[in-house]
Amino acid sequence: MQIKILLKTACAVVVALLIQYLYLEGPAIASFQNDRTYEYQVDNYAVKAQFPATTEVHLTPDKGEEMRLNIYFTDSKLSFRGYLQIWRADDLEHFLQDSKARSTYNFISYVLKRTSLNHWNGFEESWSADFGENVISSQEYWLELNDNNEVVRISFFTDQAFFPDSTSSAIRSILDSISVKNH
């Protein structure tokens, strides 16, 4: 009799823990109630985006002839890092194809397709590459900002063959929050 009660109690505890894990942890991670908004004014650009509270965000001084603005972000809890950048690319599709052709990466997979995001048109670039001792996967969005050949690049990288499911809500939230204005 004692064993039956003990088994029922253990089963109830396991079910309760499973319910707590599946229903309470999942939405708590996906809701990002503690998102932080970052705003940067650099040269003629005003950039605004929201990131999960666990994400570290840094405006870097890296710029060049083609890259006009560089924001680096990393989130060890969600297992990704990336960039929010503004580039100048006269022919975006050719620029991306040429970049892949010149790359020294050992690509496992590579997909380039047209996309539309936040009223911008451009390309979504997804790839994974073998770097010997590790695999890196990437989701990148190259979106045309205006008729002046300026594009915003939003890239996400993870040190895994695939992005963990837990990152999809965070990535979507970041992408939906991005605003870029040229003064």
Side-chain angles (χ1 to χ4, degrees), residues 1-159:
M1 196 63 147
Q2 285 282 31
I3 294 176
K4 276 187 173 181
I5 293 172
L6 186 59
L7 285 174
K8 281 184 180 181
T9 304
C11 186
V13 168
V14 168
V15 168
L17 289 172
L18 239 149
I19 289 171
Q20 179 182 6
Y21 176 77
L22 292 175
Y23 293 102
L24 297 180
E25 289 294 320
I29 292 170
S31 68
F32 302 109
Q33 294 174 359
N34 296 322
D35 280 358
R36 289 185 285 178
T37 300
Y38 292 84
E39 295 182 53
Y40 297 101
Q41 302 271 341
V42 177
D43 297 333
N44 295 335
Y45 304 101
V47 177
K48 183 177 178 181
Q50 290 181 341
F51 292 90
T54 54
T55 306
E56 294 180 32
V57 180
H58 306 279
L59 178 65
T60 72
D62 301 334
K63 289 191 216 177
E65 201 169 303
E66 294 172 330
M67 186 172 42
R68 308 289 172 90
L69 176 125
N70 189 25
I71 297 169
Y72 175 73
F73 54 89
T74 184
D75 194 312
S76 57
K77 182 177 179 186
L78 294 172
S79 300
F80 68 74
R81 64 191 174 285
Y83 296 96
L84 194 161
Q85 300 171 325
I86 297 178
W87 286 72
R88 180 168 171 79
D90 292 332
D91 179 343
L92 182 56
E93 186 170 15
H94 175 67
F95 174 82
L96 294 173
Q97 290 170 343
D98 188 51
S99 293
K100 183 191 184 278
R102 292 175 185 243
S103 175
T104 59
Y105 293 177
N106 182 15
F107 288 103
I108 298 168
S109 66
Y110 181 90
V111 175
L112 179 65
K113 64 182 180 180
R114 290 198 174 274
T115 192
S116 184
L117 180 72
N118 295 355
H119 71 273
W120 296 311
N121 294 315
F123 295 90
E124 179 180 344
E125 189 178 41
S126 301
W127 55 264
S128 62
D130 183 353
F131 287 86
E133 300 210 5
N134 64 336
V135 172
I136 294 178
S137 296
S138 177
Q139 294 177 8
E140 300 189 63
Y141 301 84
W142 294 81
L143 306 165
E144 299 166 333
L145 291 175
N146 52 40
D147 294 334
N148 296 332
N149 298 319
E150 292 174 315
V151 298
V152 62
R153 172 194 184 205
I154 307 105
S155 59
F156 300 89
F157 303 95
T158 188
D159 294 327

